[in-house]
Amino acid sequence: MDYREAFDHTLEKFGITAKSLALKSGVQERQISHFRNKQKDLMAGNLFSLIGALPTDAQIYFFSCVASESMLETVDLRSLVKSMPAARKSEVLTLIADSLLENLENTETNGLISAL
């Protein structure tokens, strides 16, 4: 599924209106409607702002719809992070720290199992 379809499906699934998303993201409601109706594409920064304004579960759903290595490799993480509010950046750092700790714990557990 392409990113436009995934975005449209995400808004429908979570009952998110273009109006509410426009208020949270700073992207004009008209631009969102044109994007959803395939009349115009969005600048990458605007798409990142829209995705960043989605609730976390909606973001996960969106990325699961478009999940492929090629899509994830082309995301400009620097732009994405710059467009996030401070609270969101903090959330991302916490998720990264948790993931690193989990990896470390799994590595230590696997080492103990191998030693037995």
Side-chain angles (χ1 to χ4, degrees):
M1 177 180 304
D2 73 18
Y3 64 95
R4 186 188 313 262
E5 288 176 286
F7 181 76
D8 196 46
H9 281 278
T10 301
L11 296 190
E12 288 174 11
K13 178 174 176 63
F14 290 89
I16 299 168
T17 64
K19 184 175 186 169
S20 68
L21 196 55
L23 291 171
K24 290 180 183 176
S25 67
V27 177
Q28 294 178 2
E29 185 178 354
R30 185 181 90 256
Q31 288 177 292
I32 297 169
S33 294
H34 286 172
F35 175 66
R36 292 182 75 189
N37 294 323
K38 301 179 182 179
Q39 295 170 334
K40 283 189 174 182
D41 212 346
L42 288 172
M43 302 263 305
N46 285 343
L47 180 59
F48 292 151
S49 293
L50 290 172
I51 294 167
L54 293 171
T56 302
D57 52 345
Q59 289 178 5
I60 292 168
Y61 179 81
F62 169 80
F63 284 114
S64 72
C65 288
V66 293
S68 73
E69 286 301 312
S70 60
M71 171 69 177
L72 295 176
E73 288 176 6
T74 62
V75 171
D76 180 5
L77 294 176
R78 185 177 305 275
S79 296
L80 181 59
V81 170
K82 279 186 172 185
S83 70
M84 292 178 181
R88 191 60 140 176
K89 290 175 185 175
S90 176
E91 182 181 353
V92 168
L93 284 173
T94 301
L95 291 169
I96 291 170
D98 289 345
S99 177
L100 289 171
L101 283 173
E102 195 174 295
N103 288 347
L104 180 62
E105 289 168 358
N106 288 339
T107 301
E108 290 173 356
T109 302
N110 289 337
L112 287 173
I113 291 171
S114 296
L116 295 174

